[in-house]
Amino acid sequence: MVANYAPPTVDPQTGVESKDVVISPETGVKARIFLPKINVPDQQKKLPLIIHYHGGGFCIGSSFDIITARMLTVLTSVVNAITISVDYRLAPEHLLPIAFDDSWSALQWISTHLNREGPELWLNQLVDFGRVFLVGESAGAAIAHHMAVRVGTTKGLEGLRIRGAVIVHPYFVDNDQPDELVRYLSPGPIVANSDPKLNPKVDTDLDKMCCEKVLVFVAENDGFGLKPRGVEYCETLKNSGWKGDLELVENEGEDHCFHVFNPTCESALVLVQKVASFVNQD
């Protein structure tokens, strides 16, 4: 499954501008940054930062394809935030957990801008690092969740204040059923059910999740059968000892990641408006 490449551009409808940056010259990992249209009187106002991880079962998708670019242009415009989407390396050419490792490297790269002297001007000048949000759909939701846990258990990123995480139609493994896709995308005889990156129920650090609040979406007609896992994730998080605020929203009548493929449909715009309220509320 290959989607067409979308070059960075200025979107004529929303005024959202995008550019590509290199996260790691050694691995070749890059990211795309989306900047909302900024009114001249608000030029000194710092904007929240959305760190996005795309879906695709860890093996398809890209921050640089038309599908993702279209969805993130809408998100960036409606939320009025700067968005950086991490183009982590894909399995099976790059087996798990490389997608998680690349995503962590991207967080570390972003943190080099905390002193306003990092390599990317937009992040130095325009981001409010007190309002950072991790966002992902499907496999990207699993990455966003794990990054929130890892920031909470790792020293050195204290200045990067992760206010919240948006977990959309998450792809977590089932406790009772082996996941053949994850087994194929992982090295050796890995038991995915016991990997905390893929199964929050076995994560002993869940209570240390760094963010203050989590917004979870599940799709009523999820064709991959992932709705129960999203609901179970919420129950697991509530019972873990984590002290943040949690909200579960069901996208009625919708399929898995519908908002990615049709980001301007009514239900998708309702979802994005909910994310905007989540990001911008005091």
Side-chain angles (χ1 to χ4, degrees), residues 1-5 59-62 64-67 90 261:
M1 180 178 178
V2 178
N4 291 331
Y5 170 76
C59 58
I60 60 174
S62 170
F64 305 137
D65 66 32
I66 287 176
I67 295 171
L90 300 177
F261 300 100

Side-chain angles (χ1 to χ4, degrees), residues 37-60:
K37 185 177 181 180
I38 299 175
N39 296 321
V40 174
D42 296 333
Q43 282 185 339
Q44 301 305 314
K45 182 181 178 181
K46 298 291 191 293
L47 298 173
L49 177 66
I50 291 174
I51 303 173
H52 171 260
Y53 309 96
H54 68 80
F58 305 106
C59 58
I60 60 174

Side-chain angles (χ1 to χ4, degrees), residues 40-188:
V40 174
D42 296 333
Q43 282 185 339
Q44 301 305 314
K45 182 181 178 181
K46 298 291 191 293
L47 298 173
L49 177 66
I50 291 174
I51 303 173
H52 171 260
Y53 309 96
H54 68 80
F58 305 106
C59 58
I60 60 174
S62 170
S63 301
F64 305 137
D65 66 32
I66 287 176
I67 295 171
T68 303
R70 188 172 54 200
M71 185 266 292
L72 291 181
T73 295
V74 173
L75 180 71
T76 299
S77 177
V78 173
V79 179
N80 194 36
I82 294 175
T83 302
I84 179 167
S85 183
V86 180
D87 200 49
Y88 54 86
R89 289 173 290 174
L90 300 177
E93 292 81 3
H94 303 283
L95 294 173
L96 293 175
I98 284 179
F100 292 92
D101 296 340
D102 289 346
S103 299
W104 180 249
S105 295
L107 270 185
Q108 293 176 308
W109 182 86
I110 291 167
S111 72
T112 65
H113 298 79
L114 291 172
N115 61 2
R116 307 294 174 182
E117 296 178 359
E120 174 46 48
L121 194 63
W122 284 358
L123 300 185
N124 287 334
Q125 294 186 346
L126 299 173
V127 167
D128 178 356
F129 287 105
R131 292 189 295 158
V132 179
F133 295 82
L134 304 175
V135 177
E137 67 277 350
S138 195
I143 295 175
H145 160 78
H146 182 66
M147 293 302 107
V149 174
R150 191 164 175 180
V151 170
T153 58
T154 306
K155 295 187 180 297
L157 295 182
E158 290 82 4
L160 195 68
R161 187 181 176 194
I162 311 294
R163 293 283 298 276
V166 180
I167 309 297
V168 185
H169 309 164
Y171 175 25
F172 294 123
V173 298
D174 193 313
N175 250 23
D176 304 317
Q177 183 176 352
D179 191 302
E180 294 302 326
L181 176 60
V182 171
R183 285 166 63 97
Y184 174 67
L185 302 179
S186 305

